[in-house]
Amino acid sequence: MRIGKLRVLLEQYGEATLRDLLVEMYRHTPKDVIDDQDFDFMISQYTRYKEKKNSEERHSLSQTITLAERFVDSAYEHLYIRPNQVMSERDQKNWYIHAKKIIRDLAHYAEEYTEARTMYEEMFYLLSTSAGEEPLFSTSDPFRLLKISQVTMLKQLIHYYQLDAPIDTVWIDRALYTALHVPKDVDSTRIDLLSTLPIEHSHANTRKILHSRLLKLCDRMLEKSQTEDTALENYQALKMLELRLLVAEGNLKEAEQKLFAEYIPFFSHRSEPFRVYVDFLESHGHTSETKRLKRIAKEKRIRF
């Protein structure tokens, strides 16, 4: 019986039946198998057993970097989607299994080692490229297949940017550039990607630097919007990030003024920035302001 089928079958049983089933299987398992597979340790301390197994299965740092580099190079050479003598059909089909293990191991080492952080970024850009720009795998939704969102992975990457940066300006610029220019996958918007910047838990000076960078980028994108289609989308997303920044700083009066004067006019559907703003207020505990804005929405017939 395959593991997937076994899981489905076990979900049908209650706790008492599962307990009896486990005891019965243990009773019929040869003692040498119990000792070899460390069944007693697994049953008595399952969490520690899993940690031990994961540690044993994890590759070393150098092995992980080598595997990651090979994976990235193979993908860009289209070895996972074109018939070739290097990659078997099985490996082409199961690319996501290798990718998941590589990402897991890179994340394990990334807190301490720069090279792991660099390769994590390479993997993120590879998956993003395949999702939104150039098919490199058998699916157009690689993040879905890996069961990890692009937003979640970018949030982790920005954390690594912070670890590498000597000053806040460096990681802020890197984060803004990545969030603005990386190809989007089917489940992400540019607003979602920019929302990964850690505003709420940043120092006042960090938010000041970010605000300054945002204003310059907004001016640049607004100017480009006359000739570039994506520039307007980027401008809208940057304005939403500024809105979030103003809410985090408690500048609700300025935020509301800008909402109606600068944000809504640049959206074809005015409900979108309004909804985002109300969500920001609600997430920061501004209950009375949230209720007031909802009343305004009804008066102005804004559906969100």
Side-chain angles (χ1 to χ4, degrees):
M1 186 184 300
R2 292 182 177 274
I3 296 298
K5 186 176 180 181
L6 176 62
R7 289 183 184 276
V8 172
L9 190 61
L10 292 178
E11 286 176 359
Q12 302 173 19
Y13 298 140
E15 288 186 15
T17 304
L18 287 172
R19 188 162 50 246
D20 293 342
L21 182 62
L22 178 60
V23 170
E24 196 65 23
M25 291 178 71
Y26 186 89
R27 181 182 289 125
H28 288 85
T29 303
K31 189 177 185 308
D32 58 336
V33 174
I34 290 175
D35 293 338
D36 289 344
Q37 299 300 319
D38 221 354
F39 276 15
D40 290 344
F41 178 52
M42 176 179 66
I43 294 170
S44 61
Q45 300 184 59
Y46 183 69
T47 302
R48 288 185 58 194
Y49 171 83
K50 286 294 291 182
E51 290 174 350
K52 181 173 178 288
K53 290 291 288 183
N54 287 338
S55 176
E56 290 172 353
E57 292 171 1
R58 185 177 294 116
H59 291 100
S60 67
L61 173 62
S62 60
Q63 289 173 327
T64 300
I65 298 299
T66 300
L67 288 171
E69 289 175 340
R70 189 182 304 157
F71 182 87
V72 171
D73 290 343
S74 298
Y76 282 126
E77 290 171 8
H78 302 96
L79 296 183
Y80 285 102
I81 56 174
R82 294 176 182 170
N84 60 84
Q85 300 299 316
V86 179
M87 190 81 60
S88 68
E89 288 186 17
R90 181 184 177 87
D91 283 338
Q92 285 182 324
K93 183 179 178 181
N94 294 329
W95 68 267
Y96 64 95
I97 297 175
H98 305 301
K100 201 162 190 173
K101 289 178 181 178
I102 289 170
I103 291 170
R104 181 201 65 184
D105 289 352
L106 287 173
H108 173 75
Y109 293 114
E111 291 291 326
E112 191 173 352
Y113 298 100
T114 304
E115 53 265 54
R117 297 196 284 272
T118 300
M119 283 312 305
Y120 188 95
E121 183 178 29
E122 289 284 339
M123 291 292 292
F124 172 74
Y125 267 101
L126 170 67
L127 295 172
S128 298
T129 298
S130 182
E133 192 172 86
E134 176 190 8
L136 298 171
F137 303 105
S138 56
T139 176
S140 59
D141 304 324
F143 288 101
R144 283 185 180 179
L145 198 55
L146 287 168
K147 295 182 179 179
I148 178 173
S149 73
Q150 186 182 29
V151 170
T152 299
M153 204 167 172
L154 177 56
K155 191 176 293 185
Q156 189 64 38
L157 180 59
I158 290 175
H159 168 64
Y160 296 151
Y161 286 166
Q162 289 177 292
L163 294 180
D164 287 328
I167 54 176
D168 284 343
T169 307
V170 175
W171 75 260
I172 288 173
D173 285 344
R174 289 186 73 186
L176 285 171
Y177 182 87
T178 301
L180 272 178
H181 296 287
V182 70
K184 307 188 303 282
D185 87 321
V186 67
D187 296 315
S188 303
T189 66
R190 197 59 68 186
I191 293 174
D192 293 332
L193 296 176
L194 281 167
S195 72
T196 56
L197 273 80
I199 290 175
E200 283 76 10
H201 305 293
S202 298
H203 296 297
N205 188 54
T206 302
R207 290 200 295 266
K208 185 178 179 181
I209 295 171
L210 175 57
H211 205 163
S212 174
R213 287 292 194 275
L214 277 177
L215 293 176
K216 291 179 181 177
L217 280 172
C218 283
D219 290 341
R220 193 181 307 163
M221 290 301 163
L222 192 56
E223 185 179 338
K224 285 184 176 181
S225 66
Q226 306 298 322
T227 55
E228 296 181 19
D229 294 337
T230 57
L232 180 57
E233 180 191 0
N234 289 344
Y235 174 79
Q236 293 170 342
L238 287 166
K239 295 303 286 185
M240 288 298 98
L241 180 59
E242 185 192 14
L243 189 64
R244 179 174 157 224
L245 185 60
L246 290 171
V247 172
E249 292 174 340
N251 298 332
L252 301 187
K253 186 176 180 180
E254 182 182 354
E256 188 173 331
Q257 287 175 345
K258 287 196 170 189
L259 174 70
F260 290 102
E262 298 181 21
Y263 302 176
I264 288 179
F266 287 93
F267 281 78
S268 56
H269 300 287
R270 58 183 183 158
S271 60
E272 184 177 354
F274 204 93
R275 176 186 56 78
V276 172
Y277 182 56
V278 170
D279 288 346
F280 286 163
L281 289 174
E282 207 159 25
S283 66
H284 284 79
H286 298 295
T287 308
S288 59
E289 281 295 301
T290 302
K291 291 179 179 178
R292 187 177 67 80
L293 263 293
K294 286 181 178 180
R295 287 197 299 270
I296 291 177
K298 288 183 179 180
E299 293 171 4
K300 293 181 177 290
R301 297 183 180 181
I302 299 175
R303 295 181 181 180
F304 64 97

